[in-house]
Amino acid sequence: MLDAIAGWPIGAWLRASDIAYPLVNAAHIASIGLLLGAIVTLDLRLLGAFRVHPIGHLAPPLVRVAAAGLLAAAVTGLLLFSTRPVIYMENPAFLAKLALVGLALLNALALRLHPWWHSGTYQGEAPATVRVAVAVSLVAWPSAVVAGRWIGFLQ
């Protein structure tokens, strides 16, 4: 399967182009910026920062921005992966990044399914279980970014 991905025409084009790979890489970084910026802002609000801004007003647009960033990061990440899939799958930093993104996504899903979040009222201080999920988020997402940056140093 990795050989099929490596033979994908877009991967070959990215490997051959002097400009396409850096542009896709820049788009990947910008996408991560959208994702992380929205998530960290929402997480900090859930922990009590920016109290003058109701969670009910901040959460919907921040969730949409994070989702758009995640989608764009996934698409650009797949494009980057297609250039050297075998090498990436042997890279411990890449594998750590995948694990951390998986953890962060499962954590986000658990948070979205939490009754307090699901109610949409966001009344009072977030419950302890929500604050734990927020703490996991504040560690997992930035750690995935660090692992992603580390990939190039372990090739």
Side-chain angles (χ1 to χ4, degrees):
M1 179 157 152
L2 294 178
D3 290 333
I5 294 171
W8 194 32
I10 293 177
W13 172 66
L14 287 169
R15 282 190 302 274
S17 174
D18 289 337
I19 188 96
Y21 185 91
L23 289 176
V24 171
N25 196 12
H28 189 62
I29 292 167
S31 301
I32 292 166
L34 279 177
L35 172 65
L36 217 60
I39 288 173
V40 168
T41 302
L42 182 56
D43 285 349
L44 292 175
R45 177 57 191 95
L46 289 169
L47 290 178
F50 326 121
R51 288 184 190 271
V52 297
H53 303 286
I55 294 171
H57 291 162
L58 286 177
L62 289 174
V63 167
R64 285 192 293 276
V65 169
L70 177 62
L71 177 63
V75 169
T76 55
L78 179 60
L79 292 173
L80 295 172
F81 177 75
S82 74
T83 64
R84 295 184 311 248
V86 173
I87 292 170
Y88 281 123
M89 289 306 293
E90 295 172 349
N91 188 312
F94 178 76
L95 297 175
K97 176 183 177 175
L98 289 183
L100 287 162
V101 168
L103 169 66
L105 288 172
L106 288 173
N107 184 64
L109 179 62
L111 179 60
R112 287 289 289 192
L113 295 175
H114 190 282
W116 182 82
W117 180 272
H118 196 62
S119 73
T121 60
Y122 316 112
Q123 297 301 315
E125 185 176 320
T129 51
V130 169
R131 291 192 312 270
V132 167
V134 166
V136 170
S137 175
L138 285 170
V139 171
W141 287 111
S143 295
V145 171
V146 170
R149 297 309 310 143
W150 206 336
I151 291 168
F153 294 99
L154 297 181
Q155 291 184 3

